[in-house]
């Protein structure tokens, strides 16, 4: 990990649990584009004006958590899908 600034990555997996305070909500796994490390996060870390959801394969910008270096926070979707295509 190089620095605490924004990083870029790709969502590679969604797990049905493991996120939230008690581990009962879905969690996501992303791979950093630069160093290929993996980070996890849950929907609370998705910064959005709409639904807090991300699909596997989407590109994101994120920060590495200062409290937990294997966690991503402030996750922002870079490739916003066309809403008509998204809800087919």
């Amino acid at each position: 990990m190089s620095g605490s600034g924004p990083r870029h990555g790709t969502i590679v997996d969604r797990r049905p649990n493991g996120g939230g305070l008690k581990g009962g909500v879905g969690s996501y796994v992303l791979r950093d584009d630069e160093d290929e490390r993996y980070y996890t996060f849950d929907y609370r870390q998705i910064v959005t004006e709409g639904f807090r959801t991300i699909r596997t394969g989407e590109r994101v910008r994120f920060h590495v958590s200062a409290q937990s270096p294997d966690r991503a926070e402030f996750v922002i979707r870079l490739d916003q899908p066309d809403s008509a295509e998204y809800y087919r």
Side-chain angles (χ1 to χ4, degrees):
M1 177 176 61
S2 62
S4 60
R7 309 197 47 87
H8 292 88
T10 303
I11 304 301
V12 295
D13 195 15
R14 183 186 186 289
R15 299 179 179 158
N17 55 32
L21 295 176
K22 297 181 181 178
V25 299
S27 64
Y28 299 90
V29 179
L30 71 84
R31 184 180 60 235
D32 188 297
D33 288 345
E34 185 178 320
D35 62 14
E36 298 185 354
R37 287 184 57 170
Y38 291 91
Y39 299 91
T40 59
F41 65 97
D42 61 55
Y43 75 94
R44 298 172 302 164
Q45 294 303 325
I46 302 170
V47 179
T48 182
E49 293 180 7
F51 294 112
R52 290 180 182 235
T53 187
I54 289 181
R55 290 187 173 180
T56 302
E58 283 190 89
R59 293 190 23 76
V60 296
R61 184 173 68 229
F62 68 99
H63 288 262
V64 176
S65 170
Q67 289 79 29
S68 183
D70 62 338
R71 299 275 300 164
E73 58 186 9
F74 307 115
V75 178
I76 299 172
R77 299 168 73 186
L78 297 177
D79 304 323
Q80 295 292 324
D82 177 54
S83 58
E85 289 290 322
Y86 190 81
Y87 289 105
R88 281 187 179 192

